[in-house]
Amino acid sequence: MERTGFLPWRRKRKPDFVARTIAGVAEAIERSVYTEEYARTDGFLQRVDPRAKVVVFICAVLAVGLSRSLPVLLALYVATVLMALTSRLPLGFFVKRVLLGVPLFAGIVFIPALFLIHGKPLVQADLGVLHLAISDNGLISLAIFVTRVSASVSLAILLVVTTQWADLLKALRVIRVPSVFIVVLGMTYRYIFLLLQTVENLFLARSSRTVGRPTDAEQRRWIGSSMGTLMGKSFKTSNDVYQAMVARGFTGDVYTISDFKMRDEDWLFVSLSVVLLALALIFDLGLR
Amino acid sequence: MMATTVPAEAGETNITNEDAEHVFQLDAVSFSYHGRHEALIDVDLTIERGEQLVILGANGSGKSTLLKMLDGLYRPTSGTIRAFGQDITDVADDPVRARELHRRVGLVFQDADVQLFSPTVYDDVAFGPLQMGWDKERVTREVARALEQMNVTHLSDRAPYELSGGEKKRVAIATVLSMEPDVILLDEPTASLDPRSSAVLVDVIAGLRDLGKTVVVTTHQLEIVPLIATRVVVFGDQERRPVASGNATEILSNAELLIRTNLVHEHLHFHADANLMHSHLHGPEHHEG
């Protein structure tokens, strides 16, 4: 909000938690909808059978996990980026999702190990009784770790973003994920939207009836009561959904239907990918 | 192709007593939630084959509870309900017969979001047939038919949360039509729909009669009653049982009944110089000057 001429002395305040929550919930819903839009785009991976994608994803994650050389890991990461580009995913969207969080998180996890791996010291510091040194081997290990995590997360994003959620769930059956797990996962995703909308409405209703800035104590009290309300609503919804399932013959076992068809192109995609990943691993072994 | 997983073909369990005259027969049925709040008190009601019954009642008159009881989801606290000539409590106790009851009696919930729990419309419409243990060809055929009957075939790959209110309602009806039910129970089908979606849905409900279905609709929206009802039963919100029964014209012209059951309200209006007490019914015949 811009400053007005009537209140020149007022400083721009940070939005309180209500405004932040409303914005966060709206953003979460919007992001999810946009993600589904990408899955409907006519790109390379979007045309591949979801089961083929799941198989290749598992093989690729295994290859990334087993690989120990930085060049091979970097090559695999570049390959995922190229796949994203051929699948018409915006580069900024894809890379930002990975690079903003993963290196930071992985780096923090790895920092203690950075000082424990022996090798040729590159940076040293004496802090009294504590001698800290970062070795060349430590830095290489950090780079391998961050690249491995980035490549794995990129693969997961690539799979999720280029596959409609419903298809992805059905495709999980190919790796023998139990039906009940798939159905529960699907229903969780389905009803999380309703709960997000409920949260948004709760916060909007509160915001519309609030004048001035509530105290921290008031805000804490309200959060507590909202959590209770949300829990009650979600409990009622789960009961209603269960009744709706029973009303259509549900007796505890879940049955699903699949109309996927593996085409020659899908088999080719799986075969080529597996061969290339195997070659990458063999090359990786040669570099050790 | 991925194998379809369906249970072993369930035999067509017969829960029908073909000599039964009524689809449902309720004798002195009461129901209370947690033994405290009485939702229905001493309800006597019969529902005939092929009729389109509208149950009119204000909020809290027990309409939704009644539909859940007719579908075997709630058991009466006292009294008996017979569905197709069989005691519904006995049927509900037997999982195989209960499944057949749920196939023959399709319940469309008031909140379509509750009914549409699958990732896509197609999965939702296929859910019931798959639970029945039908083979894949039959499931595919029935789903296609139900989607077409409700004119929602083009929505089959969409996620339920992407649909409009009217579309959700039509898909919700398709989810029960795919099970080839004899009876369709609709709980407040036009609630919170815009006038156009409401009109489309009224046409859909009226069309169910042409499919030979027995239809029971609960509502408090008087304007849809003459369009869909062959018989109307009014539930009192104080009595929590039927207080009147008749055809749409008889019921809707009984202003005193509608006011007493909170289906319309009366209040003072100033019309020019006249001070009139009148109810919110259509037509000048209801004005009491």
Side-chain angles (χ1 to χ4, degrees):
Chain A
M1 195 175 145
E2 291 195 10
R3 284 188 200 180
T4 65
F6 297 103
L7 302 168
W9 62 90
R10 266 198 187 172
R11 272 194 281 166
K12 218 169 161 180
R13 287 193 308 195
K14 275 175 66 179
D16 65 7
F17 81 94
V18 174
R20 288 201 303 272
T21 307
I22 294 170
V25 168
E27 193 191 336
I29 296 172
E30 195 180 350
R31 197 187 305 140
S32 177
V33 170
Y34 276 126
T35 304
E36 284 278 312
E37 288 299 315
Y38 290 132
R40 292 200 185 96
T41 310
D42 185 24
F44 172 67
L45 281 177
Q46 288 88 335
R47 286 195 294 267
V48 175
D49 186 288
R51 292 168 300 171
K53 276 189 276 188
V54 168
V55 170
V56 170
F57 166 75
I58 291 167
C59 293
V61 167
L62 273 175
V64 167
L66 293 172
S67 180
R68 289 186 190 173
S69 75
L70 190 57
V72 171
L73 283 169
L74 281 172
L76 288 170
Y77 177 66
V78 169
T80 60
V81 174
L82 289 176
M83 279 285 180
L85 286 175
T86 56
S87 304
R88 298 190 179 182
L89 300 182
L91 191 63
F93 160 83
F94 184 71
V95 175
K96 254 191 255 170
R97 278 200 156 195
V98 180
L99 292 188
L100 284 183
V102 171
L104 187 68
F105 176 74
I108 289 168
V109 170
F110 199 82
I111 279 173
L114 193 60
F115 298 100
L116 299 173
I117 296 172
H118 297 294
K120 186 180 162 190
L122 297 175
V123 183
Q124 299 185 66
D126 276 314
L127 305 169
V129 290
L130 197 65
H131 176 75
L132 293 177
I134 298 175
S135 67
D136 55 348
N137 288 339
L139 268 186
I140 290 171
S141 297
L142 173 66
I144 288 173
F145 182 71
V146 169
T147 312
R148 183 179 287 151
V149 174
S150 300
S152 302
V153 173
S154 299
L155 284 166
I157 290 174
L158 204 55
L159 175 69
V160 171
V161 169
T162 59
T163 316
Q164 291 196 35
W165 181 244
D167 292 339
L168 185 60
L169 288 177
K170 285 182 191 174
L172 288 177
R173 292 182 65 88
V174 81
I175 51 169
R176 302 289 173 205
V177 176
S179 289
V180 69
F181 182 80
I182 293 170
V183 169
V184 168
L185 204 59
M187 289 174 75
T188 305
Y189 183 78
R190 163 82 180 90
Y191 285 103
I192 215 155
F193 281 102
L194 279 184
L195 285 179
L196 279 173
Q197 279 165 0
T198 307
V199 170
E200 191 179 19
N201 289 338
L202 279 171
F203 277 81
L204 282 172
R206 193 229 188 206
S207 183
S208 72
R209 285 177 287 144
T210 305
V211 178
R213 196 182 178 93
T215 64
D216 288 348
E218 284 172 335
Q219 295 198 11
R220 281 195 299 275
R221 232 182 349 263
W222 189 80
I223 288 174
S225 65
S226 300
M227 285 165 72
T229 305
L230 194 63
M231 190 178 164
K233 278 176 183 279
S234 59
F235 189 65
K236 185 185 178 306
T237 303
S238 70
N239 273 338
D240 290 346
V241 171
Y242 177 71
Q243 281 187 348
M245 292 172 78
V246 171
R248 273 147 67 196
F250 176 71
T251 52
D253 295 318
V254 178
Y255 310 102
T256 54
I257 194 167
S258 166
D259 50 1
F260 292 144
K261 283 189 179 113
M262 281 286 275
R263 302 163 303 160
D264 293 343
E265 298 94 303
D266 298 319
W267 287 115
L268 187 67
F269 172 72
V270 174
S271 310
L272 268 179
S273 303
V274 170
V275 168
L276 287 173
L277 289 168
L279 285 175
L281 276 179
I282 291 167
F283 188 65
D284 179 80
L285 282 170
L287 287 179
R288 285 181 197 175
Chain B
M1 184 187 287
M2 195 171 173
T4 307
T5 311
V6 292
E9 182 78 25
E12 295 291 323
T13 310
N14 188 9
I15 61 163
T16 309
N17 176 354
E18 296 302 339
D19 295 334
E21 296 171 20
H22 314 295
V23 176
F24 293 108
Q25 184 164 4
L26 288 79
D27 293 312
V29 169
S30 297
F31 180 81
S32 60
Y33 287 96
H34 313 296
R36 290 194 299 270
H37 173 66
E38 287 191 305
L40 293 169
I41 303 169
D42 278 337
V43 175
D44 292 316
L45 179 68
T46 54
I47 299 172
E48 311 287 343
R49 283 178 200 280
E51 75 173 330
Q52 290 215 313
L53 175 68
V54 169
I55 296 174
L56 262 180
N59 293 333
S61 57
K63 306 185 298 291
S64 299
T65 306
L66 176 72
L67 291 195
K68 287 179 179 174
M69 294 181 82
L70 295 180
D71 199 30
L73 296 175
Y74 291 164
R75 294 167 192 217
T77 312
S78 63
T80 56
I81 302 176
R82 301 184 80 78
F84 307 103
Q86 303 283 311
D87 189 322
I88 211 165
T89 308
D90 293 341
V91 172
D93 282 338
D94 177 353
V96 178
R97 290 165 76 202
R99 189 164 62 179
E100 179 61 6
L101 173 71
H102 294 313
R103 186 196 70 71
R104 297 192 69 183
V105 182
L107 171 59
V108 180
F109 285 67
Q110 182 178 350
D111 181 0
D113 278 320
V114 162
Q115 186 131 11
L116 306 179
F117 44 76
S118 300
T120 66
V121 165
Y122 189 94
D123 292 329
D124 253 322
V125 179
F127 181 87
L130 284 169
Q131 307 315 304
M132 294 300 128
W134 296 347
D135 59 48
K136 187 181 177 184
E137 284 67 36
R138 187 174 177 190
V139 171
T140 309
R141 192 174 62 243
E142 293 305 331
V143 171
R145 185 182 52 79
L147 289 170
E148 196 181 325
Q149 279 172 346
M150 288 298 106
N151 198 21
V152 288
T153 306
H154 60 292
L155 303 174
S156 64
D157 289 331
R158 298 267 294 275
Y161 66 82
E162 296 176 330
L163 308 181
S164 69
E167 287 171 337
K168 280 183 187 172
K169 284 285 183 185
R170 282 189 286 147
V171 171
I173 297 174
T175 64
V176 299
L177 276 182
S178 61
M179 297 163 72
E180 296 185 301
D182 300 323
V183 183
I184 298 178
L185 312 172
L186 296 128
D187 192 5
E188 309 249 8
T190 54
S192 62
L193 289 185
D194 60 62
R196 190 178 169 196
S197 303
S198 195
V200 169
L201 204 65
V202 164
D203 285 343
V204 166
I205 296 167
L208 294 174
R209 184 168 39 195
D210 302 332
L211 298 173
K213 311 291 184 193
T214 303
V215 181
V216 181
V217 179
T218 66
T219 188
H220 53 243
Q221 291 176 298
L222 302 182
E223 63 273 19
I224 69 166
V225 175
L227 305 173
I228 55 176
T230 54
R231 183 163 71 102
V232 182
V233 170
V234 181
F235 269 58
D237 58 342
Q238 300 301 314
E239 298 86 349
R240 292 176 196 152
R241 73 169 74 90
V243 293
S245 175
N247 63 37
T249 311
E250 288 166 357
I251 296 295
L252 295 182
S253 60
N254 189 342
E256 186 274 327
L257 169 72
L258 298 179
I259 292 167
R260 183 163 62 82
T261 51
N262 276 332
L263 289 163
V264 295
H265 71 279
E266 62 178 0
H267 59 180
L268 282 171
H269 274 305
F270 290 97
H271 292 271
D273 295 330
N275 181 356
L276 299 175
M277 172 89 76
H278 73 89
S279 62
H280 277 185
L281 279 174
H282 302 297
E285 67 273 20
H286 298 295
H287 283 234
E288 298 164 9

